[in-house]
Amino acid sequence: MAARSRGITELVQLRALAYFGVRSSAAVAGSPMLAAMACALTPLGRRTVIDDSPEAISSFLRPRPVRELPGAGGKTAALLGEYGLHTVGDVTDVPQHTLQRLLGARAGRALHEHAQGHDTTVVDPTPAPAPAPAPAPASLSTEHRFPRDELDPASTGAPCSPSPTTSVPASAPPPRSPPA
């Protein structure tokens, strides 16, 4: 797997550089979780390959800080730090039921599994279908600004005649034009 994976990641990086002018980092591992963690640590222009052997997975994970595990944010890392659990290796060495008492059943189980490199995320190798076209908008609007006040008879030169539904009293003051 290592030689083939390294070749594929090199090809992807070269194409990204050639087509888009962007340097990238890449990582390959047996699970999406491990690959994402490794890629986050890989400098631009470099590649990381983690073999599927338990020894390679363990040597990568054990020295990592707990906060780098998926699902272990700052609060979880701080709580585990209060109990002396600072690295992924520390978490791996603790029984799962202890983590479940500290974090809750689901979170403790998930963190223990992630600390051992187990990831239940399924990778579907089939290409994703093209996205559906966006639905038509519910409404459309546009705006047009006239260079002059179209309702002011003085600026348009047209005679002012009230509409049939509007009555204007004879004593009404003349309309004012809006301040410019």
Side-chain angles (χ1 to χ4, degrees):
M1 174 186 103
R4 183 171 177 222
S5 301
R6 194 174 303 276
I8 291 171
T9 57
E10 185 176 345
L11 178 66
V12 169
Q13 286 180 301
L14 286 173
R15 285 189 177 176
L17 184 60
Y19 289 131
F20 306 111
V22 178
R23 288 180 31 184
S24 61
S25 58
V28 178
S31 71
M33 177 195 77
L34 288 172
M37 289 177 69
C39 193
L41 299 169
T42 304
L44 284 176
R46 304 289 308 266
R47 292 170 289 287
T48 301
V49 177
I50 301 173
D51 290 328
D52 283 338
S53 71
E55 296 81 21
I57 293 170
S58 179
S59 68
F60 171 75
L61 283 176
R62 285 189 74 79
R64 306 263 48 92
V66 172
R67 69 180 176 279
E68 290 184 11
L69 283 175
K75 289 183 180 180
T76 301
L79 175 67
L80 293 174
E82 292 176 11
Y83 292 94
L85 306 173
H86 301 284
T87 66
V88 175
D90 296 337
V91 172
T92 302
D93 296 338
V94 172
Q96 180 177 323
H97 66 274
T98 302
L99 290 172
Q100 288 177 317
R101 274 190 296 218
L102 293 173
L103 304 173
R106 181 179 292 168
R109 181 175 43 254
L111 190 67
H112 194 261
E113 290 292 315
H114 288 160
Q116 294 179 2
H118 300 152
D119 185 14
T120 57
T121 306
V122 177
V123 177
D124 184 6
T126 58
S139 65
L140 293 175
S141 66
T142 186
E143 181 178 317
H144 176 76
R145 292 186 179 260
F146 293 97
R148 63 183 187 277
D149 184 358
E150 295 292 318
L151 299 178
D152 183 11
S155 66
T156 61
C160 179
S161 60
S163 66
T165 58
T166 307
S167 62
V168 178
S171 62
R176 287 190 245 162
S177 50

